[in-house]
Amino acid sequence: LKETLTMNFDKFTDRSRGFIQSAQSAATRANHQQLIPEHLLKVLIQDKEGMAAKLVEALSVDSGTLFQAVEKELKYAPSVQGSGAGSVFLSSNMTKVLTQAEDLTDKVGDSYVTAEYLLLALTMVKDTGAYRVLTSAGVNPQNLNTEIEKLRKGRKAHTATAEDGYDALQKYGQDLTQAARDGKLDPVIGRD
């Protein structure tokens, strides 16, 4: 797979590369000869703490239901047994998704393709099972892009680890104002 993407694979963040490799592994385990967009959608949604699942949940779409719909689509993918098994090639639709993700990245001024733009690209490349699953769940490029902008708050991806910074404060910090509102802070004794 890496040989197929050598020209542009270095433009993907570490997480995006990880998702693409996980999608390839999913295809291999299922004896699918082609890596298709549905494999990518499956691994993006499967990561419950990941950005794709959070974006989908923000659109009031249950990621579990979406995952089941993707699994159903993958049942129709042809599988190979015997000597041809184990070799996975990019389908033309998967190439279109990756190209679309790169184009989106260039348009927003990022240097690296992030997981959220992989998901957005899946909503834009028609005639795929991933597109059908996402659109039937109500996920479209417009509402997904709005959620991406909310998540990113104007930040750009100029490093291979850019995604790590999006939720760092939320992940590692504690909202003391919210804790005080909820009555979870211990009272301070001896102060006015």
Side-chain angles (χ1 to χ4, degrees), residues 20-53:
I20 294 167
Q21 289 167 346
S22 293
Q24 180 186 11
S25 296
T28 302
R29 280 191 306 276
N31 292 322
H32 296 155
Q33 198 168 22
Q34 288 192 332
L35 178 60
I36 56 177
E38 293 79 335
H39 291 117
L40 181 59
L41 180 57
K42 176 184 176 178
V43 297
L44 284 169
I45 298 302
Q46 204 168 14
D47 181 18
K48 295 285 184 206
E49 296 301 312
M51 249 174 282

Side-chain angles (χ1 to χ4, degrees), residues 7 14 19 52 64 81 87 101 103 130 132 138 143 145 148 153 157 162 168 173 182 185 189:
M7 213 163 74
D14 293 344
F19 283 123
Q81 302 294 327
S87 298
D103 292 347
R132 284 189 298 276
N143 63 15
N145 195 43
I148 290 170
K153 297 177 184 149
D182 296 341
L185 288 181
I189 300 171

Side-chain angles (χ1 to χ4, degrees), residues 118-136:
L118 288 175
L119 182 63
L120 184 59
L122 287 169
T123 67
M124 299 174 90
V125 177
K126 298 179 180 177
D127 300 326
T128 68
Y131 175 83
R132 284 189 298 276
V133 166
L134 288 165
T135 54
S136 67

Side-chain angles (χ1 to χ4, degrees), residues 67-81:
F67 182 78
Q68 289 173 347
V70 172
E71 285 282 286
K72 229 180 251 186
E73 284 287 334
L74 283 169
K75 286 182 183 176
Y76 299 111
S79 61
V80 177
Q81 302 294 327

Side-chain angles (χ1 to χ4, degrees), residues 1-24 35 40 90 94 98-99 102 111-114 118 160:
L1 176 68
K2 194 169 184 177
E3 286 72 50
T4 315
L5 294 171
T6 48
M7 213 163 74
N8 299 322
F9 199 57
D10 57 338
K11 284 188 72 175
F12 290 75
T13 62
D14 293 344
R15 281 192 189 173
S16 293
R17 278 186 249 164
F19 283 123
I20 294 167
Q21 289 167 346
S22 293
Q24 180 186 11
L35 178 60
L40 181 59
L90 281 175
M94 187 64 178
L98 297 176
T99 303
E102 284 186 66
S111 303
Y112 289 86
V113 177
T114 56
L118 288 175

Side-chain angles (χ1 to χ4, degrees), residues 102-118:
E102 284 186 66
D103 292 347
L104 289 166
T105 298
D106 291 341
K107 281 181 187 171
V108 298
D110 284 357
S111 303
Y112 289 86
V113 177
T114 56
E116 63 268 22
Y117 284 112
L118 288 175

